[in-house]
Amino acid sequence: GEQLAIETYLRAMVNEWDENDIKMTGADQGFHNYLYYSGKLTNSATISKLVVWEQGKGIINNMGALRTKKFVEWGIYDEDQVVVYNWDGTVSP
């Protein structure tokens, strides 16, 4: 996105964090979802569009749900080659 759109989005994220006084880690994903699905950014003059990608389909993916074991154990990270893999086994860019 453009700089102004990113700044607007980040300010909205900080605002949500401040309003909710969250102490736990990983809460940011809920704020991303809330900002999108609540429509809070719909009328922003600096954001032309918001796109939600299906998990695993976009260029950025949330891996927070995989904290139950190491990424190596999930088969999505190769420590020796320092490579991250997509779910289909292809190398992630």
Side-chain angles (χ1 to χ4, degrees):
E2 295 181 2
Q3 180 178 341
L4 285 175
I6 293 170
E7 286 178 5
T8 300
Y9 192 81
L10 292 176
R11 288 179 200 281
M13 285 289 291
V14 169
N15 185 59
E16 289 302 318
W17 201 275
D18 289 346
E19 284 183 4
N20 291 284
D21 193 32
I22 298 296
K23 304 279 189 263
M24 63 183 275
T25 60
D28 60 313
Q29 189 60 46
F31 291 149
H32 293 300
N33 293 340
Y34 176 73
L35 287 173
Y36 178 79
Y37 291 107
S38 70
K40 278 194 159 187
L41 300 172
T42 303
N43 296 321
S44 172
T46 60
I47 299 176
S48 60
K49 70 177 180 175
L50 292 170
V51 177
V52 173
W53 294 87
E54 181 182 341
Q55 178 65 28
K57 303 292 182 183
I59 60 171
I60 298 173
N61 288 287
N62 182 339
M63 299 175 74
L66 302 175
R67 292 185 196 163
T68 57
K69 56 185 175 181
K70 294 181 177 185
F71 292 154
V72 171
E73 295 175 45
W74 284 105
I76 58 174
Y77 180 66
D78 183 326
E79 288 180 304
D80 298 327
Q81 296 182 16
V82 192
V83 174
V84 176
Y85 295 100
N86 296 314
W87 287 119
D88 64 2
T90 60
V91 175
S92 184

